Each structure stands twice: as C-alpha cells, then as structure tokens.
Amino acid sequence: MRNPKRIVILGAGGRDFHVFNMVFKDNPDYRVVAFTSTQIPGQEYRRYPASLAGRYYPQGIPIYPQEKLKTIIRAHAVDEVVLAYSDLTFDELGRIICEALASGVSFKIVGPRETMLDSIKPVIAITAVKTGAGKSTTSRTIVRELLARGFMPAVVRHPMAYGNLEKRKVVIIRNSRDLEEYDLTLEEREEFEPYIEIGVTVLAGVDYRLVLLEAERIGDIIV
C-alpha cells in the first residue's frame, strides 16, 4: 500500500476548509499536513479542530502564515501544494506556483466538479472576481425582489474564519440574539443585519454540506 500524498492547502479561511471537506477529509490517499492563511488577520498559529478534521487528524491541522510555505514543505515532506483562495493577480499566482515548483513539489487548484454541491432547491449565485465589486448590494436587491414575488429565500454567505471554528460549523442567523450567540465581528454583522431586519435567515459556517442542508430546509430559493 502506497503512502498517502502529503498536502499543504493555501487558503484564507474559506474555500480552503471547503476544499478540505470535499476532497481530502477522510480520504486515505491524502494527508493534509497544514493549512496556510493570508488576507484575514489573526488566523495564523491556531489549528483546524480535530472535531472538524476527521479520523486521520486526532490533533487537528495546524494553520501557518503563507510566508512559511517553504519551511512547511521542507519540515513536513510535502508532495503537493493546493491553492484554495482567490483575490490574486496573475503575477501573485505565478509567484506562488514558482515557489512551490522551486521547492520540488507539485501545484494544484481543485476544480469546480470536485468541490461544488448539488442542491434540491433553485440557486441564484452572486459572484465576482474581486472583493468590493458589489456582491452584497446585488444580493440584497435580489432577496427583496424574491420577497416581493412571494418567495422565501435563504441567504448563504461565503465563510469567514473568525472565532471558534467548532462553534461555527453551521451558523444560522435569524435574529439579533443569534448575532450575539456567535460573537460575530463588525464586518460580519454589517453583512447579516440587513437580512434579519427584513425577516430573512442568513447561513454561513465551515461545513457547507451541512450549511446547504439547513438552507434547503429554510428557504424556497437559495441566494
């Protein structure tokens, strides 16, 4: 039996955890030796919890700054670097690829077919290539239009890896009390509050299989 391929996942506290859950968790062919973090401050030097990581990770998975990538590759005998975040220029992407290849390891981006979730409900996806492009404003406009047409949407936000990840496995925000329960940041509150003011539930979290199941239970349409 061959040894599992040793992986480091480069992320920003969002898609990285989703890629892990969809592709690598409980997969005997791989061992994720570390995540790296960038863009979101304060995420480094903690661990992805064992309770979320699955049977191969009884100690959880360490999270390091992305600047430590070369050190991680050497220290953990990494075989492959997996990129799992966006908001990168082509120059920045090229530098990351070169850093991985110069360290002697393979580089990979996991594609949509391996990571997308199927839903039993209609889905309206609002996406953009950069932060600040207007996704939130567009989403709220669509939600108000759906309400006006008699539908009850459930809003699914992209993950933000603040706070206690175990507690945030599935986050369901229905009212102001829920905002306090999850100890949300100001940034998160600014996103969630406009929805609860109009009676719409917002969901987020770490495990988006479970988030999707809850959204399907709550809404007619998922935004």
Side-chain angles (χ1 to χ4, degrees):
M1 182 177 178
R2 66 179 183 179
N3 292 327
K5 184 178 289 188
R6 298 173 68 79
I7 305 293
V8 58
I9 300 177
L10 311 187
R15 182 172 174 79
D16 45 353
F17 299 151
H18 179 65
V19 167
F20 171 77
N21 288 334
M22 293 294 292
V23 179
F24 300 109
K25 181 180 179 180
D26 295 329
N27 189 330
D29 294 329
Y30 298 98
R31 292 294 183 274
V32 175
V33 300
F35 291 99
T36 69
S37 182
T38 187
Q39 297 181 348
I40 297 180
Q43 305 309 304
E44 306 91 347
Y45 299 114
R46 59 176 185 161
R47 301 185 81 83
Y48 189 72
S51 62
L52 301 178
R55 56 180 172 151
Y56 294 121
Y57 306 94
Q59 305 302 317
I61 303 170
I63 303 172
Y64 298 110
Q66 187 174 305
E67 292 77 17
K68 300 288 186 182
L69 178 59
K70 288 182 180 178
T71 301
I72 296 166
I73 290 172
R74 289 195 302 268
H76 294 278
V78 168
D79 298 304
E80 188 170 79
V81 170
V82 174
L83 180 70
Y85 71 98
S86 56
D87 250 358
L88 288 165
T89 66
F90 279 109
D91 285 345
E92 291 168 334
L93 174 60
R95 284 195 291 271
I96 293 170
I97 294 172
C98 288
E99 186 174 0
L101 298 181
S103 298
V105 302
S106 298
F107 176 87
K108 180 178 181 179
I109 298 175
V110 180
R113 289 182 182 174
E114 292 184 81
T115 55
M116 292 181 73
L117 294 164
D118 291 325
S119 178
I120 61 173
K121 296 291 181 72
V123 176
I124 300 174
I126 294 89
T127 64
V129 296
K130 292 290 287 184
T131 299
K135 297 187 299 295
S136 297
T137 302
T138 303
S139 299
R140 290 193 291 268
T141 300
I142 290 172
V143 165
R144 286 193 291 268
E145 180 64 25
L146 290 171
L147 289 172
R149 295 185 182 209
F151 295 103
M152 177 48 70
V155 175
V156 176
R157 286 275 304 161
H158 68 77
M160 296 180 179
Y162 302 118
N164 185 327
L165 295 179
E166 289 180 287
K167 188 175 180 180
R168 291 183 174 218
K169 186 175 184 178
V170 178
V171 174
I172 303 175
I173 305 295
R174 298 183 180 90
N175 51 53
S176 57
R177 292 188 301 275
D178 293 331
L179 295 175
E180 300 301 328
E181 177 184 346
Y182 290 105
D183 192 25
L184 300 176
T185 64
L186 179 61
E187 179 185 359
E188 292 171 303
R189 284 173 173 268
E190 288 175 345
E191 293 292 340
F192 295 149
E193 285 173 346
Y195 292 112
I196 64 176
E197 288 172 0
I198 58 175
V200 172
T201 299
V202 191
L203 301 95
V206 176
D207 190 332
Y208 271 73
R209 280 195 180 99
L210 299 181
V211 171
L212 178 60
L213 288 174
E214 289 295 329
E216 290 172 337
R217 184 178 61 82
I218 292 167
D220 304 317
I221 297 175
I222 297 171
V223 178

